[in-house]
């Protein structure tokens, strides 16, 4: 009980005293996971659009693959990316292992199926007749994508938050491909693992509270937007 | 040649079932071309094909004498406007919904809004401008749909039973306002309806579609005086009986 209380106290002290290390790690975590989320979204939007509006053989197989990928264990992804980027591996010459780029790559692999599956579902929910209407207005494929995404904006936002949540809380892959190097590739989750293994429970708890705060802010944003959608539908 | 839009040898087949087989259909500049027929006759399918929203299994569409190629479909679509059987809106306000088609054509937001406002006024629904489009009543939605179509200043207007889901009071006034606008703009119109009366009052030509095939084509007068099939005869008689009953009830 004392440890938890001390941890919370320490977290608050660290936050209000602008503890340099904590801020660096938090900011770095946001940057890495944010970038991975953006790349995943950039891949998922056109892919989901294609899957949602085109009929092609193997379509359902592809969707089931994305759905399966939503449960991809981060450690497995970490291992694959590790083998790929290892100095003697196929992409070894790029010298990316144990760099922030390596973490972004691994997290992108983890987030993409999540975002792809959810964005596909979101776009598929846009009424087919509404698509016909947008088409009749003379929309180009790109305008169609934009308007459908706008129509499904809340669901797409939920997909983004789900994807971000999956990678910001993930530890296995970041540890394996990033190496948890202080001041270089250390993120919140790997820092928590380290502090815990050293027996620094208060530091670990402080970090965990910051991670929770981030998760909470994400959920808050989502809830807020869902409430707004309610107002939208009734025009108030 | 003053044929604006023309379809030749159109055939639509879905899962082995032939839904539409129309050898020739053409709309002359400025005319109101009505299509009538029972439920499931293929009217909406024909509209989608002519409005370049559905690719037929066979056949070509010509715009002002030129065959429309795959590449040109979007460009030609921008010369047309469609009012669907049920009003469809994006999750946005009325005015933004009307402006959208203009925005898609690359018109600046402010000008698009100005034009949208003008057409809302022409259809007497300027008060609805800032309402959420999906919260409109059936009658309001249909007025807004019509305003939206006219705002595009199309060369061809496609209408799929725009007055069928409305009560008589709203219908009467909307039809009056609509034809007033249509007359002053002189837009070539493809008009699907169930209602012979609308055909008699407004159409220049009428095509009867049954089971995906053209049963008869001509002026409304020709249709009344000389229906070509027994089915059509019965349809017209039923309509006349109904009219007669209505008159007696008054
Ligand atoms: N995508 C589709 N798949 C299977 N059948 C279809 C499809 N689209 C239309 N049909 C069928 O084609 C026929 C013609 O449909 P269509 O909507 O064109 O009729 P309609 O004349 O507009 O009827 P209504 O007056 O009821 O609107 C119907 O039997 C319908 O079930
Ligand atoms: Mg129909």
């Amino acid at each position: 009980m004392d440890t938890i209380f001390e941890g919370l106290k320490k977290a608050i002290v660290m936050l209000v005293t602008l503890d340099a290390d904590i801020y660096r790690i938090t900011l770095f975590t946001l940057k890495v996971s944010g970038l991975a989320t953006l790349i995943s979204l950039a891949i998922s939007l056109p892919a989901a659009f294609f899957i949602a509006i085109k009929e092609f053989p193997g379509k359902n197989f592809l969707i089931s693959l994305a759905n399966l990928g939503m449960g991809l264990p981060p450690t497995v992804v970490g291992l694959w990316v590790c083998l790929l980027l290892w100095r003697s591996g196929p992409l070894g010459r790029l010298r990316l292992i144990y760099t922030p780029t390596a973490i972004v790559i691994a997290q992108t692999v983890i987030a993409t199926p999540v975002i792809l599956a959810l964005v596909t579902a979101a776009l598929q929910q846009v009424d087919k007749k509404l698509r016909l209407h947008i088409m009749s207005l003379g929309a180009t494929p790109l305008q169609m994508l934009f308007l459908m995404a706008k129509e499904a904006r809340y669901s797409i936002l939920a997909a983004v938050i789900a994807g971000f949540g999956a990678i910001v809380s993930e530890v296995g892959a970041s540890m394996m491909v990033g190496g948890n190097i202080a001041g270089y590739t250390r993120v919140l989750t790997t820092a928590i693992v380290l502090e815990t293994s050293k027996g620094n429970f208060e530091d670990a708890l402080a970090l965990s509270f910051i991670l929770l705060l981030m998760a909470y802010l994400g959920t808050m944003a989502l809830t807020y937007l869902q409430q707004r959608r309610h107002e939208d539908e009734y025009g108030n | 040649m003053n044929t604006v839009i023309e379809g030749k040898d159109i055939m639509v087949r879905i899962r082995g079932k032939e839904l539409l087989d129309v050898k020739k259909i053409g709309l002359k500049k400025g005319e109101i071309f009505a299509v009538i027929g029972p439920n499931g006759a293929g009217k909406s399918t024909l509209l989608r094909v002519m409005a370049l929203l559905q690719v037929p299994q066979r056949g070509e569409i010509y715009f002002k004498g030129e065959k429309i190629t795959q590449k040109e479909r979007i460009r030609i679509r921008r010369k047309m406007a469609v009012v669907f059987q049920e009003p469809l809106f994006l999750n946005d306000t009325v005015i933004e919904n009307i402006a959208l088609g203009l925005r898609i054509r690359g018109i600046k937001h402010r000008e698009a809004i100005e034009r949208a406002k003008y057409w809302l006024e022409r259809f007497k629904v300027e008060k609805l401008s800032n309402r959420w489009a999906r919260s409109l009543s059936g009658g309001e939605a249909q007025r807004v749909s019509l305003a939206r179509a006219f705002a595009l200043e199309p060369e061809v207007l496609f209408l799929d039973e725009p007055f069928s889901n409305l009560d008589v009071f709203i219908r009467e006034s909307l039809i009056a306002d609509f034809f007033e606008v249509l007359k002053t703009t002189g837009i070539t119109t493809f008009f699907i309806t169930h209602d012979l009366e609308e055909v008699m009052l407004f159409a220049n030509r009428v095509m009867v579609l049954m089971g995906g095939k053209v049963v008869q084509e001509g002026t409304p007068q020709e249709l009344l005086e000389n229906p070509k099939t027994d089915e059509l005869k019965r349809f017209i008689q039923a309509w006349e009986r109904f009219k007669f009953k209505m008159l007696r009830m008054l």
Side-chain angles (χ1 to χ4, degrees), chain B residues 212-225:
Chain B
K213 293 199 164 53
V214 180
V215 173
Q216 184 163 5
E217 199 194 319
T219 64
Q221 200 60 32
E222 282 165 13
L223 182 73
L224 265 196
E225 285 167 3

Side-chain angles (χ1 to χ4, degrees), chain A residues 1 28 48 73 76 101 103 121 134-135 156 158 161 164 173 178 210 215 217:
Chain A
M1 214 40 228
F28 179 70
V76 172
T101 312
I103 306 182
I134 295 171
M135 210 168 131
I156 289 175
I161 289 175
F164 180 79
I210 293 170
L217 289 178

Side-chain angles (χ1 to χ4, degrees), chain B residues 10-12 17-22 35-43 45-46 208-216 229 231:
Chain B
I10 292 166
M11 198 265 283
V12 173
K17 208 175 131 221
E18 199 167 288
L19 303 180
L20 197 65
D21 182 9
V22 175
V35 176
I36 58 166
N39 285 121
K43 305 182 294 296
T45 307
L46 179 60
V208 184
L209 209 61
M210 280 181 184
K213 293 199 164 53
V214 180
V215 173
Q216 184 163 5
T229 67
E231 216 174 347

Side-chain angles (χ1 to χ4, degrees), chain B residues 14-15 17 19 37-46 48 85 161 194:
Chain B
I14 291 180
R15 281 181 227 103
K17 208 175 131 221
L19 303 180
N39 285 121
K43 305 182 294 296
S44 298
T45 307
L46 179 60
R48 282 195 300 275
Q85 221 162 340
E161 299 182 40
H194 269 128

Side-chain angles (χ1 to χ4, degrees), chain A residues 79-213:
Chain A
L79 174 66
W80 292 346
V81 175
C82 234
L83 289 173
L84 212 64
L85 300 183
W86 203 254
R87 299 238 192 272
S88 55
L91 299 178
R93 273 191 302 159
L94 299 175
R95 305 209 161 263
L96 289 174
I97 192 87
Y98 304 139
T99 63
T101 312
I103 306 182
V104 173
I105 292 171
Q107 293 197 345
T108 302
V109 175
I110 298 166
T112 301
V114 177
I115 298 184
L116 178 63
L118 294 176
V119 171
T120 303
L123 291 183
Q124 278 180 325
Q125 266 170 15
V126 175
D127 193 345
K128 239 183 164 160
K129 287 173 185 157
L130 194 67
R131 261 159 50 194
L132 211 61
H133 167 65
I134 295 171
M135 210 168 131
S136 81
L137 294 177
T140 60
L142 201 66
Q143 288 172 324
M144 175 68 87
L145 168 58
F146 174 76
L147 288 168
M148 279 175 72
K150 196 177 165 198
E151 196 63 17
R153 53 194 179 263
Y154 302 112
S155 309
I156 289 175
L157 209 99
V160 167
I161 289 175
F164 180 79
I167 54 179
V168 82
S169 60
E170 159 300 311
V171 58
S174 300
M175 189 71 102
M176 289 158 90
V177 305
N180 196 20
I181 302 165
Y184 186 47
T185 58
R186 183 161 298 168
V187 292
L188 280 170
T189 49
T190 57
I192 292 173
V193 171
L194 183 72
E195 296 304 331
T196 307
S197 67
K198 288 199 298 194
N200 294 339
F201 293 117
E202 284 158 19
D203 284 341
L205 268 172
L207 291 164
S208 77
F209 286 128
I210 293 170
L211 197 57
L212 272 177
L213 187 71

Side-chain angles (χ1 to χ4, degrees), chain A residues 224-236:
Chain A
Y224 171 75
L225 278 157
Q226 275 168 343
Q227 289 316 108
R228 254 189 37 174
R229 165 156 73 170
H230 238 75
E231 286 171 17
D232 280 359
E233 276 168 3
Y234 296 103
N236 300 313

